[in-house]
Amino acid sequence: MATIKDVAREAGVSVGTVSKVINNIPVKPATKAMVENAIKKLNYEPDVYARGFKMNRTNSVAVILPTIWNPFFSELAYNIEKNLSSFGMKMILCNSEDNQSSELEYITMAKQNKVDGIIAITYSDIDKYVSTNIPIISIDRYFSDSITYVSSDNLTGGKLAAEELVKSGCKNIAYIGRGSKINNATRNRKKGFVGYCEENNISYKVCDSLGSSKEFDSILNNFLIDNFKNNIKIDGIFTITDEYARDVIKRLREFNIKVPDDVQIIGYDGSRSSAKDTIEISTIRQPIELIAKESVSSLIDLIDKKEVEKEIVLPVKFIKGYTTK
Amino acid sequence: MATIKDVAREAGVSVGTVSKVINNIPVKPATKAMVENAIKKLNYEPDVYARGFKMNRTNSVAVILPTIWNPFFSELAYNIEKNLSSFGMKMILCNSEDNQSSELEYITMAKQNKVDGIIAITYSDIDKYVSTNIPIISIDRYFSDSITYVSSDNLTGGKLAAEELVKSGCKNIAYIGRGSKINNATRNRKKGFVGYCEENNISYKVCDSLGSSKEFDSILNNFLIDNFKNNIKIDGIFTITDEYARDVIKRLREFNIKVPDDVQIIGYDGSRSSAKDTIEISTIRQPIELIAKESVSSLIDLIDKKEVEKEIVLPVKFIKGYTTK
């Protein structure tokens, strides 16, 4: 394969001049033409990796997710990659599985300029490692006033879920979802739900916990026994995600509770497992495409040292599925 | 941040000596200790990107999939990334959406050593660009005798599907699936199904096409009208993927055909949309974890210039879901 030296020899110029042409640094038009002809003739492909090394750009972005094996995260990653690709950038994908050390590894990569920036959804406690020195966009997670985060309008989403349940005739509604100890924007889903109920004097219950998923499993089980086993005390449920909604539906089947006849359920996310899939559960849909687009364009602004809004909150909407009347 | 020069100064040795220690090239034990102490003291992090540049290794692998927004591909990518990570390698993920030019872009990256290798699931015609010079593992696609491909045992899978339908009482069975013009290992699913039917004198029909998905859409529609609208002529169906199975079930609902009472259905893949998900459709399950593991370990052998088997075919099994009796 032709090297930059071959091109220089062919064009009768120095390697430095070829490098200038490749990197769009002005040279005499005649010189430029000679170099371009030599590049064409020799079918020379400038090594972008080497250029990235020299210019301190890799044109790659690390995307850290709990796991790509999940409809919401795979739809999000699909859209992030499409957006990055339109800017000529590559996506390095990391399944953190909430493992702090693998998240820190990618933060170190960004500090060492091995990636240009990071888009992260993380639930672990990495605050002290994240600084404004590295371009980072956080999805659904508030770090500090100096780090941009992008999220759906969780507060309105929680309100909307309560409102829709009430509109469909529910009188006794509940919120179900495991919380997170860190300052996660998804907390606002519960806040919006509870706020709506209190403002409108709606009777509500809350089933949540900041503990492990194992702990929450038994809390949820007891909650469902209390409210459904002997008689039905709840007629509407809002779950923190669609995944929780599916889980609750499965558990209620064991008590012979019918959805939506006995209890109506609204989830949150509205992701589909593929583009061909349809939304089956009534849900508050996150604008996944828009979250991806805003995350990528804000990250590129950060990499280019431009000013970026610190909080980007994007609108949600209710989508009716089979789980509400 | 400390540089390699700072370390050299601190240790009282040359930059070249520090580089040797970092790259595990033998130096005098006392010198090694001095360098390691200096690295520790200055909290120096060797720049792996620069090392990759020099050693012609990037420790990254491009994974090309039609789309990550799909349960099968997201489960596969999840497992590929886990395996790569255990070797200290990163996954650059590309949604090709069967777009040849984006596939070629990654092949060019591999040729230019911007990635160490490629794992690809591709249905487009890129044969002439793929050479043995670049480490590449193809999943489900045969290119040439010199390129390693990894697939599930599609032939046995097709046979097994026919056998299971017959064992559950089906007398008139059908194969449904759009084929691909390229030499795709998934063709063997139909071959195995048809082979079993012919050997055992089972009455069977085939609904397939090598045309576009739009063309196949109307072919499938006509096939279902012919065989289900007025009276039911088929009591068992094997679809080329679970996604097709779900699609057929939806379409049959419109004719009021009940699964599995009126017709039993077996899909292929057995992927779940997340680790918490359960398999609902009866299916021939691909060993997704094993496919990921074998693809990664074979690719690393290729990168290391070791001999690799050219055809790696991995066992499948039948999983009973609600769509068979």
Side-chain angles (χ1 to χ4, degrees):
Chain A
M1 210 192 285
T3 66
I4 193 165
K5 281 185 190 165
D6 299 330
V7 174
R9 200 176 302 123
E10 175 71 25
V13 300
S14 71
V15 167
T17 304
V18 178
S19 172
K20 280 182 184 164
V21 173
I22 293 167
N23 290 298
N24 273 322
I25 297 164
V27 297
K28 281 184 202 156
T31 309
K32 194 178 178 193
M34 282 195 301
V35 171
E36 285 175 342
N37 285 338
I39 287 174
K40 220 170 181 175
K41 188 176 169 195
L42 299 177
N43 205 11
Y44 170 67
E45 285 170 330
D47 188 321
V48 186
Y49 187 82
R51 285 167 63 201
F53 179 71
K54 280 173 200 144
M55 297 159 67
N56 234 356
R57 285 278 172 98
T58 62
N59 290 317
S60 63
V61 164
V63 173
I64 303 173
L65 302 168
T67 169
I68 188 65
W69 187 16
N70 166 293
F72 177 69
F73 296 133
S74 70
E75 183 171 352
L76 182 65
Y78 166 82
N79 283 291
I80 289 175
E81 195 270 339
K82 270 186 79 161
N83 278 281
L84 284 173
S85 170
S86 73
F87 288 99
M89 300 182 90
K90 311 292 172 219
M91 174 174 79
I92 298 179
L93 188 83
C94 163
N95 297 301
S96 70
E97 307 196 76
D98 297 339
N99 176 343
Q100 203 182 344
S101 73
S102 63
E103 294 175 345
L104 293 182
E105 192 192 338
Y106 283 85
I107 291 169
T108 304
M109 281 177 76
K111 283 183 182 161
Q112 297 175 343
N113 297 316
K114 279 169 238 160
V115 292
D116 295 346
I118 294 174
I119 296 174
I121 299 194
T122 167
Y123 305 128
S124 57
D125 187 24
I126 55 167
D127 285 58
K128 59 183 165 190
Y129 306 101
V130 173
S131 65
T132 47
N133 296 335
I134 49 170
I136 181 164
I137 298 290
S138 168
I139 296 180
D140 271 350
R141 162 85 187 268
Y142 170 84
F143 281 101
S144 70
D145 287 341
S146 53
I147 299 204
T148 292
Y149 85 94
V150 178
S151 79
S152 66
D153 189 346
N154 292 286
L155 197 71
T156 301
K159 264 187 200 177
L160 195 55
E163 194 185 341
E164 289 291 340
L165 287 172
V166 171
K167 272 209 285 189
S168 318
C170 299
K171 305 274 182 230
N172 296 289
I173 62 182
Y175 167 86
I176 293 177
R178 184 165 74 95
S180 164
K181 278 173 193 149
I182 57 122
N183 198 346
N184 195 309
T186 57
R187 283 184 184 180
N188 287 331
R189 295 177 193 171
K190 174 179 153 191
K191 207 170 155 187
F193 180 89
V194 168
Y196 181 89
C197 293
E198 301 212 325
E199 271 169 41
N200 295 281
N201 289 315
I202 312 292
S203 153
Y204 73 95
K205 290 182 180 173
V206 165
C207 169
D208 73 349
S209 150
L210 296 181
S212 69
S213 68
K214 208 179 157 185
E215 273 165 38
F216 185 69
D217 192 72
S218 80
I219 291 172
L220 173 57
N221 216 32
N222 290 333
F223 183 83
L224 295 179
I225 289 172
D226 285 351
N227 289 288
F228 290 99
K229 198 158 188 190
N230 296 316
N231 56 59
I232 300 173
K233 297 176 192 157
I234 292 170
D235 55 5
I237 295 172
F238 169 48
T239 57
I240 189 167
T241 62
D242 292 340
E243 205 169 2
Y244 274 96
R246 276 186 283 268
D247 182 41
V248 167
I249 292 166
K250 248 181 226 169
R251 289 168 191 248
L252 289 176
R253 236 181 253 157
E254 287 169 35
F255 303 136
N256 269 318
I257 300 294
K258 277 175 206 121
V259 177
D261 296 337
D262 300 326
V263 61
Q264 301 187 57
I265 299 182
I266 295 178
Y268 199 106
D269 280 344
S271 59
R272 293 171 291 153
S273 66
S274 77
K276 285 180 189 166
D277 198 15
T278 48
I279 291 179
E280 308 234 317
I281 288 171
S282 298
T283 189
I284 306 300
R285 174 156 167 86
Q286 299 208 46
I288 301 180
E289 282 180 37
L290 200 56
I291 291 174
K293 195 175 170 219
E294 289 291 330
S295 298
V296 169
S297 67
S298 300
L299 183 67
I300 286 172
D301 283 348
L302 283 180
I303 293 169
D304 291 342
K305 316 258 181 226
K306 290 184 193 156
E307 271 295 308
V308 171
E309 262 184 89
K310 292 307 167 203
E311 195 183 337
I312 300 171
V313 176
L314 302 166
V316 293
K317 63 179 176 185
F318 173 68
I319 308 250
K320 205 200 149 335
Y322 81 93
T323 60
T324 49
K325 286 177 193 167
Chain B
M1 209 191 286
T3 66
I4 192 165
K5 281 184 191 166
D6 300 329
V7 174
R9 200 176 304 122
E10 175 71 27
V13 299
S14 71
V15 166
T17 304
V18 178
S19 171
K20 278 181 187 166
V21 173
I22 293 167
N23 291 297
N24 274 321
I25 295 162
V27 296
K28 280 184 205 158
T31 311
K32 195 178 176 192
M34 283 194 299
V35 171
E36 283 174 344
N37 285 337
I39 287 174
K40 221 167 180 179
K41 186 176 170 194
L42 300 176
N43 206 10
Y44 169 68
E45 285 170 332
D47 189 319
V48 185
Y49 188 81
R51 285 167 63 202
F53 179 70
K54 281 175 199 141
M55 296 159 67
N56 235 357
R57 285 278 172 99
T58 63
N59 289 319
S60 62
V61 164
V63 173
I64 304 174
L65 301 169
T67 168
I68 188 66
W69 188 15
N70 166 293
F72 177 70
F73 296 133
S74 70
E75 183 172 351
L76 183 65
Y78 167 81
N79 282 291
I80 289 175
E81 196 269 340
K82 269 185 78 162
N83 278 282
L84 284 174
S85 171
S86 73
F87 288 99
M89 301 182 89
K90 310 291 174 220
M91 176 175 79
I92 298 179
L93 189 83
C94 162
N95 297 301
S96 70
E97 306 198 76
D98 296 338
N99 175 343
Q100 203 182 345
S101 74
S102 63
E103 294 176 345
L104 293 182
E105 193 192 336
Y106 284 84
I107 291 170
T108 304
M109 281 178 75
K111 283 182 183 161
Q112 297 175 345
N113 296 317
K114 278 170 238 157
V115 290
D116 295 344
I118 293 174
I119 296 174
I121 298 194
T122 168
Y123 306 128
S124 59
D125 188 23
I126 54 167
D127 286 57
K128 60 184 164 189
Y129 306 101
V130 173
S131 65
T132 46
N133 297 334
I134 48 171
I136 183 166
I137 298 289
S138 168
I139 296 180
D140 271 349
R141 162 85 187 267
Y142 170 85
F143 281 101
S144 70
D145 287 340
S146 53
I147 298 202
T148 293
Y149 84 96
V150 178
S151 80
S152 65
D153 189 346
N154 291 286
L155 196 71
T156 301
K159 262 186 203 180
L160 194 56
E163 194 185 340
E164 288 290 340
L165 288 171
V166 170
K167 273 210 285 190
S168 319
C170 299
K171 306 271 183 232
N172 296 288
I173 62 182
Y175 168 88
I176 292 178
R178 184 165 75 92
S180 165
K181 278 173 193 147
I182 55 121
N183 198 346
N184 195 309
T186 58
R187 281 184 183 179
N188 287 331
R189 296 177 193 172
K190 175 179 152 194
K191 207 170 154 189
F193 180 88
V194 168
Y196 181 89
C197 293
E198 301 213 324
E199 271 169 41
N200 296 280
N201 288 314
I202 312 291
S203 153
Y204 74 95
K205 290 182 180 175
V206 165
C207 170
D208 74 348
S209 150
L210 296 182
S212 69
S213 68
K214 209 179 159 186
E215 274 165 37
F216 184 69
D217 193 70
S218 81
I219 290 172
L220 173 58
N221 217 31
N222 290 333
F223 182 83
L224 295 179
I225 289 171
D226 286 350
N227 290 289
F228 290 99
K229 198 158 190 192
N230 296 317
N231 54 58
I232 300 172
K233 295 177 194 156
I234 291 170
D235 55 5
I237 294 173
F238 169 49
T239 57
I240 189 167
T241 62
D242 292 339
E243 204 168 3
Y244 273 97
R246 278 186 283 269
D247 182 42
V248 166
I249 291 167
K250 250 182 221 167
R251 289 168 192 248
L252 288 176
R253 238 182 252 158
E254 288 170 34
F255 303 137
N256 270 317
I257 300 294
K258 278 174 208 122
V259 177
D261 296 338
D262 299 327
V263 62
Q264 301 187 58
I265 299 183
I266 295 177
Y268 198 106
D269 280 345
S271 59
R272 294 171 291 154
S273 67
S274 77
K276 284 180 190 167
D277 198 13
T278 47
I279 291 179
E280 308 234 319
I281 288 171
S282 299
T283 190
I284 306 300
R285 174 154 169 87
Q286 299 208 45
I288 301 181
E289 281 180 39
L290 200 55
I291 291 174
K293 197 176 167 217
E294 288 290 330
S295 299
V296 169
S297 66
S298 301
L299 182 67
I300 286 172
D301 283 348
L302 283 179
I303 293 169
D304 290 342
K305 315 259 181 227
K306 289 186 194 155
E307 271 295 309
V308 171
E309 262 185 88
K310 290 309 166 202
E311 195 184 340
I312 299 170
V313 176
L314 301 166
V316 293
K317 62 180 178 188
F318 173 68
I319 307 251
K320 205 199 151 334
Y322 81 92
T323 60
T324 48
K325 287 178 194 168

